Amino acid sequence: MRTLIPLLLLFAVGCNSDPGVVFGEDRIALVDMHLHTGEWEDIPSGTRAFLSERFPFPLGMDAESTAAAVLSGEGVLAELDKAGATQGVLFAVYAPLSVGITTNETVIEHIDADSSRLWGLASLRVDRWVEERDQQLAALSAALEHPNMIGVKLAHAHQHFRMDAGEYYGIYEVAAQHNAPVYLHTGPSPFPGTSQDAPYTDPAFLDDAIQRHPDTQFILGHLGFDFINGEEGDLETCLTLAKTYENVFLEPSAFGSASGDPDQIFLPHALRRIREEGLVDRVIYGSDGPQSPGFVNTYAERTIHALSEAGYSNAEAEAVLSGNFARVFGVEPVTL
Ligand SMILES: [Zn+2]
């Protein structure tokens, strides 16, 4: 009890809006690299229905106003505050047939809510590639000129292009020119309209692109988790790629959520495997929020639990929760 009481007090402090999260006896900076923003009406109706089912009752009854509130720049900042996160990264998305469109311009607009705390990842359309390739690459390059647009977001499964299709590799060249890491969705996705076949979801199909672009940083989103069957999926492939190539990083978002990992098995297991393989310096924390009010905070708490379960030291936890992000994206590390 003697040690428990101060820890509980510290935890209680960690739950208010003070920056940082409590890990063991330390307060650690937290940056959430995976957040969504945008307009509810731009999300295709099938995906809107999917999302609103996930809002806790009674919020699902009024999904539109709930979504509008959490998807704005101010809404995201409020969710970051609840989690103790100092900063976050908003994703542009161009997936008109699945999860919808959040333009680079929309992301930049939402970043303006507080440009000292929000960054963005830019993206581009690939669905009319033969006609629009040069135009789309130029637009991506222009978006990356914005000082807060620090990386590129791609989701082959949601955008319907193969991971090993060389005609799209110009995207990785533009990213390297801007020192902009590329975040890639990996693993089967639950969203309606997704391409689920292996060349769109299995990170093994990224091997060729990674090997050919040593100056581009590749961040493997969701660690290849199989969201359709609720299984580990391609975790080991992600670890093999990270061991083989120094320009591969790992992002454990979404699959450790209360709905995806109710017994808190998958996230501790993935973090334990990463540590066993000596890859702690490759992990970059993200939640895939805001989703619904409180999700960003809950995901951070579940991750802290998982890091502790997996035997991470305070220094290792700090690397995962904020240090690796600063190094890979070339931004100032957060000091509390
Ligand atoms: Zn996401």
Side-chain angles (χ1 to χ4, degrees), residues 100-117:
I101 292 178
T102 303
T103 65
N104 296 324
E105 292 73 26
T106 299
V107 167
I108 289 168
E109 203 178 292
H110 287 293
I111 284 171
D112 282 342
D114 187 346
S115 60
S116 70
R117 295 185 63 195

Side-chain angles (χ1 to χ4, degrees), residues 174-287:
V174 168
Q177 285 158 14
H178 290 270
N179 291 320
V182 182
Y183 177 95
L184 312 107
H185 176 101
T186 64
S189 162
F191 286 99
T194 299
S195 294
Q196 306 289 6
D197 291 344
Y200 303 86
T201 57
D202 181 345
F205 284 83
L206 288 170
D207 188 287
D208 181 67
I210 293 165
Q211 191 182 351
R212 287 171 190 269
H213 299 94
D215 297 330
T216 305
Q217 321 285 349
F218 291 81
I219 303 169
L220 308 181
H222 311 300
L223 303 180
F225 190 78
D226 179 351
F227 288 98
I228 304 289
N229 298 303
E231 292 170 357
E232 176 181 314
D234 300 313
L235 169 66
E236 293 299 324
T237 306
C238 292
L239 300 183
T240 301
L241 288 168
K243 286 193 83 165
T244 308
Y245 303 108
E246 284 184 1
N247 54 330
V248 171
F249 299 85
L250 306 163
E251 189 257 16
S253 69
F255 68 85
S257 70
S259 59
D261 191 10
D263 300 320
Q264 305 204 59
I265 293 167
F266 293 124
L267 192 52
H269 170 72
L271 292 170
R272 191 177 296 115
R273 288 289 300 121
I274 285 167
R275 190 163 181 271
E276 284 168 2
E277 297 295 339
L279 294 167
V280 170
D281 63 341
R282 308 292 188 85
V283 189
I284 303 177
Y285 174 75
S287 70

